[in-house]
Amino acid sequence: MSPAVLYRRLPGEGLPGFIAEFRKAAARDPFGTAFVVPTSHLAREIVRRIGEEGVPLVADAITTLPGLARKVFIEHATAETLIPEAGSRLIIDRLLAAGDYPLIARTGAVDELATLFAVLITRKIDYPAALGDLASAKSAEIGRLFAAYLRFLDEHRLVDESTLLARATRLLAGSDEFRTVYVYGLFEPVPLERDLLLALRESAVEFHYAIPYAANPAAFADEGLWLHPDAVVAGERTSEVAGLFSRRETGRVDLIRLAERRDRLDEVRAIAQEIRDLAAAGVRPGEIAVAFPDLASAVPYVEEVFPDFGVPYAVSAGRPLSASPLVQTLLSVLAVPARGYRREDVIGLLTTPYLPFTRGSGIDILSREARITAGADAWDDRLAALARALEDDLAGPEPAKDRLATKIASIEAAREEVRGLFADLAVLEGKKTVREHIAAYRSLLDRWQAPVMPAEGDTRVLEDEARDLGGFAEALNTLERLARLLPEQKMPLPEFFSLLGILVAGTRAGRRRNANAVQVIGVRETAHLAVPHLFIGDLVEGTMPRLTTRLPFATDLETRRLQTRSKSDILREERYHFIAALLSARTRVYLSYPAADGSAPLVRSGFVDAVREAFSPETWGNGDFPASRLAAARRAGGLLARGEAASPPVLTAAEAVRRLNIENYHRKGGYDSPYDGLIGGDPALAERFGEEAVFSVTALETYADCPFRFYLEQVLGLAPLPPADPDLTGEERGSLVHRIAFRFYSGWRRDGNGAVTEASYPDALRRILATGREEADRFTFESPAWVAGKEHLLGSAAAGPGLLERFLRHEAEVAVSGLLPQAFEVSFGLPVTAGEADAASIPDAVAIPLGEETLHLRGRIDRVDLLPGGRFVVTDYKTGNRRPTLGEVVAGKELQLPLYIRAVETLTGMQGVAGTCYTLRRGEVRNRPIFWNAGLKDCFTCFPGSRQSGVEDVRELVETSLAGVKQYLAGIRGGCFPPRSDAGPCPAYCGFRTVCRFDGLRLLAAGGEVDVDGTD
Ligand code: SF4
């Protein structure tokens, strides 16, 4: 055994001396000298320092303990294979899939089991025996799986990242490979690591071991006695910082500065600004490091802020491959057939820029209309059914015919493309071995020449994509290599897809290294570095210290029984890493923490309080960000707006001010500019919506509710994407009920019947149910929702009387009113198709005089009932929740009933006396008069809920509505399209909610509602 010298050193202390000694030894014996450090980052840094001196080195001579174990294994193991971490996960996944582990086989179990097994192996825990009386059925099952896992490694001569340490220890026994060994800075090695270190000591001629140590038990507990050193050299340096947490008296430490920032974004901006200030003072970016306790969650902030401040940076950890959009696309090629050709998966594939498809958005819309949800066959069947339905409509008028023909052609093209795509994807399906799956997948990507990589663009993005692609190709290679080790077994595509998913989730993309950039690293990577300027951010409770002690699949009690790490062990370790990070700073360390995360306050780390108490640090940073390009642009805008700065050459001052005013002035207060939809009179508007234009009631009501929605729909011709609804939509439910009511009553009346009464009820019921069944059978849905919907329509023993039966019952109840159902689906200004509209329908619009102008109206009236004396009632069927109120009619927001009354009056010369709304839905079947002539009490009081809606003069009410229409026409023709004037939430049915910039708070801030013409 070699004499071992133990050096107790503060973190980072004496490292240059160790490096110098190592260099001398390596020059004497390059292949027999090793230098072991705790992190790859530190290993690279030492290699860089030595490289700068021009000293040649053997590759991997400076490494981590796992790195050294790997080197030993690669050089000596002949019959075994080392598998990556992802390989362990694959094996666990295969064992779970094949074995009988019902208590632990669940989503996410593979990752947790892999973590647990690594702890059990490296800490040499005899599981589940170590649990003693805490053992349970679950721990027995985990124990069986653990044993199966180790057996699998053994039988297939595999070594994983954890068993590697033990394997390397055995391989080193009796060897004299490493004659001089330097170990620096390992913090409390676990049992398997200690074994390897002792084996190194055993085989080496010289063994130097520097342990991070200070007389501060709050952070340093390992004195290295387990090494049985022959000599112990105490450290020479003392440090106030190393005594942190020890409650010792300390003085002011000028090294440290502290700042609280508003939130994480503000914190990273402040760091970026400070870096720019340092750079302005001559500090090189490579002399600065920014450390975060949780690097992965901080990187997105850094990626957003540092480029804005022009700070060059390099992140030490690559991002997970599964977060790459390119990799997600490549995986989605498998996901489409593996998940049964789901609509959203197929559309995702067809619309991604990384694959050579171009018709994705068109197919998206058609697939929604065709009600496709999933299933390779359903795609073609439903698209074909959609085309057939349109072909049936080809008998219509000429312009519609052309439109339909074009649409049918595009459906055929979509079918062709989808058929081709599915034929390609079909080669991926079926049971295959992993290698066969990979071969089929690669061959398909080759044939598609995928992924399509952009030739130009943001260099950083292009580099990232190239790296992601390389990482993905390597992941496939790894899986192929592992497949050779796993039993040759065929598996269906979903299983292969899940295997590849596991591998990709556990793989990180390569990283961009640049020693001349600001280093963005994890706090644990800072130990022993020598960083002139160090920032440590995000110091909040739960992030640092992070006191998670629980092992996966173990309770607190079980974790304690397994004697892994107690809470105080973890706290000590967190304190150590914090102290080691502080000690790595040479000139200054800038600590910071965010006060809130969005609106949720954050608790600053107890470590910050400890620093405050011990060292009374000064603060750093202020609220200004002069180096931010975004902030600069905002400032420049302000100067331009005030005329205090010359405009950039490409932009006149007036133009710049105009643009600024759009946001800062026009989008505040009342609606008063073109940016609020007040676009002013336009000849094109006058022509399109002038005297001869025909309006529907729906369009006018849309304008009445929200002129901006009218503008989007009627002027720009925009329409929201149709919902991808596999069942009956609200609109279809409405048409179904309308059609049944129309067919029933037109046949009923044609056969000489009057209103439905108690006497005629049985016959009426038989007829309406027959019609209802016929109409419902036209739909081919099979979903449970549709089956239930049909039952609620037609009734059943289980569901009770259906909607149609309740409709007739209500009809019989109000028959005493004397109203006689007369006409159904009376249309005007629309094509008249026999059998679908009342015989009184006309193709021409109805001309309704509005004083000196005329309203040309088109529409379809659900039902007209007659009263003696040439009087009539207009009824509207509603199958949704909403029904109009008298107040809305008076306010000119609900126009349908008054305008339809006037249309019938114009066409027939009769007198409208009421407008009713017939609610026909599962929870309610009721005809409710919205307004009625108060002189006709005998007729209307039999209608439930009619007491409040009698009006003195229906004609006057209609005239009020027409006055409103006149105003709306003027608004439309005058180009006045502001968003709705009600500060309350927009209606849920507005399909433009996701794109509209309506802001209710703006109206409130403007001091109330805004008139339709834009004035407050
Ligand atoms: S979201 Fe509101 S303001 Fe915008 S278009 Fe729809 S209804 Fe009008």
Coordinates of all heavy atoms in Angstrom, one line a residue, residues 445-477:
L445 N -37.5 8.2 -43.0 CA -36.9 9.6 -43.0 C -36.0 9.8 -44.2 O -36.0 10.9 -44.7 CB -36.1 9.8 -41.7 CG -36.9 9.7 -40.4 CD1 -36.0 9.9 -39.2 CD2 -38.0 10.8 -40.4
D446 N -35.3 8.8 -44.6 CA -34.4 9.0 -45.8 C -35.3 9.3 -47.0 O -34.9 10.1 -47.8 CB -33.6 7.7 -46.0 CG -32.4 7.6 -45.1 OD1 -32.2 8.6 -44.4 OD2 -31.7 6.6 -45.1
R447 N -36.3 8.5 -47.1 CA -37.2 8.7 -48.3 C -37.8 10.1 -48.3 O -37.9 10.7 -49.4 CB -38.3 7.6 -48.3 CG -38.9 7.4 -49.7 CD -39.2 5.9 -49.9 NE -40.2 5.5 -49.0 CZ -41.5 5.8 -49.1 NH1 -41.9 6.6 -50.0 NH2 -42.3 5.3 -48.2
W448 N -38.2 10.5 -47.2 CA -38.8 11.9 -47.1 C -37.7 13.0 -47.2 O -38.0 14.1 -47.2 CB -39.5 12.1 -45.8 CG -40.9 11.4 -45.8 CD1 -41.5 10.7 -46.8 CD2 -41.7 11.3 -44.6 NE1 -42.7 10.3 -46.3 CE2 -42.9 10.6 -45.0 CE3 -41.6 11.7 -43.3 CZ2 -43.9 10.3 -44.1 CZ3 -42.7 11.4 -42.4 CH2 -43.8 10.7 -42.9
Q449 N -36.4 12.5 -47.1 CA -35.3 13.5 -47.0 C -35.5 14.4 -45.8 O -35.4 15.6 -45.9 CB -35.1 14.3 -48.3 CG -34.8 13.4 -49.4 CD -34.4 14.1 -50.7 OE1 -34.7 15.3 -50.8 NE2 -33.8 13.5 -51.6
A450 N -35.9 13.8 -44.7 CA -36.3 14.5 -43.5 C -35.2 14.3 -42.5 O -34.5 13.3 -42.5 CB -37.6 14.0 -43.0
P451 N -35.0 15.3 -41.5 CA -35.8 16.5 -41.5 C -35.3 17.6 -42.5 O -34.1 17.5 -42.9 CB -35.5 17.0 -40.1 CG -34.1 16.5 -39.7 CD -34.0 15.2 -40.4
V452 N -36.2 18.4 -42.9 CA -35.9 19.5 -43.8 C -35.2 20.6 -42.9 O -35.8 21.1 -42.0 CB -37.1 20.1 -44.4 CG1 -36.8 21.3 -45.3 CG2 -37.8 19.0 -45.2
M453 N -33.9 20.9 -43.1 CA -33.2 21.9 -42.3 C -33.1 23.2 -43.1 O -32.7 23.2 -44.2 CB -31.8 21.4 -42.0 CG -31.8 20.0 -41.2 SD -32.5 20.1 -39.6 CE -31.2 20.8 -38.6
P454 N -33.5 24.3 -42.4 CA -33.5 25.6 -43.1 C -32.0 25.9 -43.5 O -31.1 25.7 -42.8 CB -34.0 26.6 -42.1 CG -34.0 25.9 -40.8 CD -34.0 24.4 -41.1
A455 N -31.9 26.5 -44.7 CA -30.5 26.8 -45.2 C -30.0 28.1 -44.5 O -28.8 28.3 -44.3 CB -30.5 27.0 -46.7
E456 N -30.9 29.0 -44.1 CA -30.4 30.2 -43.5 C -31.4 30.6 -42.4 O -32.5 30.1 -42.3 CB -30.3 31.3 -44.5 CG -31.6 31.5 -45.3 CD -31.3 32.5 -46.5 OE1 -30.3 32.4 -47.1 OE2 -32.2 33.3 -46.7
G457 N -30.9 31.5 -41.5 CA -31.7 31.9 -40.4 C -30.8 32.3 -39.3 O -29.6 32.5 -39.5
D458 N -31.3 32.4 -38.1 CA -30.5 32.8 -36.9 C -29.4 31.7 -36.7 O -29.7 30.6 -36.5 CB -31.5 32.9 -35.7 CG -30.8 33.3 -34.4 OD1 -29.6 33.0 -34.3 OD2 -31.4 34.0 -33.6
T459 N -28.2 32.2 -36.7 CA -27.1 31.2 -36.6 C -27.2 30.3 -35.3 O -26.9 29.1 -35.3 CB -25.7 31.9 -36.6 OG1 -25.9 33.3 -36.8 CG2 -24.7 31.3 -37.5
R460 N -27.5 31.0 -34.2 CA -27.6 30.3 -33.0 C -28.6 29.2 -33.1 O -28.4 28.0 -32.6 CB -28.0 31.3 -31.9 CG -27.1 31.2 -30.7 CD -27.6 32.2 -29.6 NE -27.4 31.6 -28.3 CZ -26.3 31.8 -27.6 NH1 -25.3 32.4 -28.1 NH2 -26.2 31.2 -26.4
V461 N -29.8 29.5 -33.7 CA -30.9 28.5 -33.8 C -30.4 27.4 -34.7 O -30.6 26.2 -34.4 CB -32.2 29.1 -34.3 CG1 -33.2 28.1 -34.6 CG2 -32.7 30.2 -33.4
L462 N -29.8 27.8 -35.8 CA -29.3 26.7 -36.8 C -28.3 25.8 -36.1 O -28.3 24.6 -36.3 CB -28.6 27.4 -38.0 CG -29.6 28.2 -38.9 CD1 -28.8 28.8 -40.1 CD2 -30.7 27.3 -39.4
E463 N -27.4 26.4 -35.3 CA -26.4 25.5 -34.6 C -27.1 24.6 -33.6 O -26.8 23.4 -33.5 CB -25.4 26.4 -33.8 CG -24.3 27.0 -34.7 CD -23.5 28.0 -33.9 OE1 -23.5 28.0 -32.6 OE2 -22.9 28.9 -34.6
D464 N -28.1 25.2 -32.9 CA -28.8 24.3 -31.9 C -29.5 23.2 -32.6 O -29.5 22.0 -32.1 CB -29.9 25.2 -31.2 CG -29.2 26.0 -30.1 OD1 -28.1 25.8 -29.8 OD2 -29.9 27.0 -29.6
E465 N -30.1 23.5 -33.8 CA -30.9 22.4 -34.5 C -29.9 21.4 -35.0 O -30.2 20.2 -34.9 CB -31.6 23.0 -35.6 CG -32.9 23.8 -35.2 CD -33.7 24.4 -36.3 OE1 -33.1 24.5 -37.4 OE2 -34.9 24.7 -36.1
A466 N -28.8 21.8 -35.5 CA -27.8 20.8 -36.0 C -27.3 19.9 -34.8 O -27.2 18.7 -35.0 CB -26.6 21.5 -36.6
R467 N -27.1 20.5 -33.6 CA -26.7 19.8 -32.5 C -27.8 18.8 -32.0 O -27.5 17.6 -31.7 CB -26.3 20.7 -31.3 CG -24.9 20.5 -30.8 CD -24.7 21.2 -29.5 NE -25.3 22.5 -29.5 CZ -24.7 23.6 -29.9 NH1 -23.5 23.6 -30.4 NH2 -25.4 24.8 -29.8
D468 N -29.0 19.3 -32.0 CA -30.2 18.4 -31.6 C -30.3 17.2 -32.6 O -30.5 16.1 -32.1 CB -31.5 19.2 -31.7 CG -31.5 20.3 -30.6 OD1 -30.7 20.2 -29.7 OD2 -32.4 21.2 -30.7
L469 N -30.1 17.5 -33.9 CA -30.2 16.4 -34.8 C -29.1 15.4 -34.6 O -29.4 14.2 -34.6 CB -30.1 17.0 -36.3 CG -30.3 16.0 -37.4 CD1 -31.7 15.3 -37.3 CD2 -30.2 16.7 -38.8
G470 N -27.9 15.9 -34.3 CA -26.8 15.0 -34.1 C -27.1 14.1 -32.8 O -26.9 12.9 -32.8
G471 N -27.6 14.8 -31.8 CA -28.0 14.1 -30.5 C -29.0 13.1 -30.8 O -29.0 12.0 -30.2
F472 N -30.0 13.4 -31.6 CA -31.1 12.4 -31.8 C -30.5 11.2 -32.6 O -30.9 10.1 -32.3 CB -32.2 13.1 -32.6 CG -33.4 12.2 -32.8 CD1 -34.2 11.9 -31.8 CD2 -33.7 11.7 -34.1 CE1 -35.3 11.1 -31.9 CE2 -34.8 10.8 -34.2 CZ -35.6 10.5 -33.2
A473 N -29.7 11.5 -33.6 CA -29.1 10.4 -34.4 C -28.3 9.5 -33.4 O -28.3 8.2 -33.5 CB -28.2 10.9 -35.5
E474 N -27.6 10.1 -32.5 CA -26.8 9.3 -31.5 C -27.7 8.5 -30.6 O -27.4 7.4 -30.3 CB -25.9 10.3 -30.7 CG -24.8 9.6 -29.8 CD -24.1 8.5 -30.5 OE1 -23.7 8.6 -31.7 OE2 -23.9 7.4 -29.8
A475 N -28.8 9.1 -30.2 CA -29.8 8.4 -29.4 C -30.3 7.1 -30.1 O -30.4 6.0 -29.5 CB -30.9 9.3 -29.0
L476 N -30.5 7.3 -31.4 CA -31.0 6.1 -32.2 C -29.9 5.1 -32.3 O -30.1 3.8 -32.1 CB -31.3 6.5 -33.6 CG -32.8 6.9 -33.9 CD1 -32.9 7.1 -35.4 CD2 -33.7 5.8 -33.5
N477 N -28.6 5.5 -32.4 CA -27.5 4.6 -32.5 C -27.4 3.8 -31.1 O -27.2 2.6 -31.1 CB -26.2 5.3 -32.7 CG -26.1 5.9 -34.1 OD1 -26.9 5.4 -35.0 ND2 -25.3 6.8 -34.4

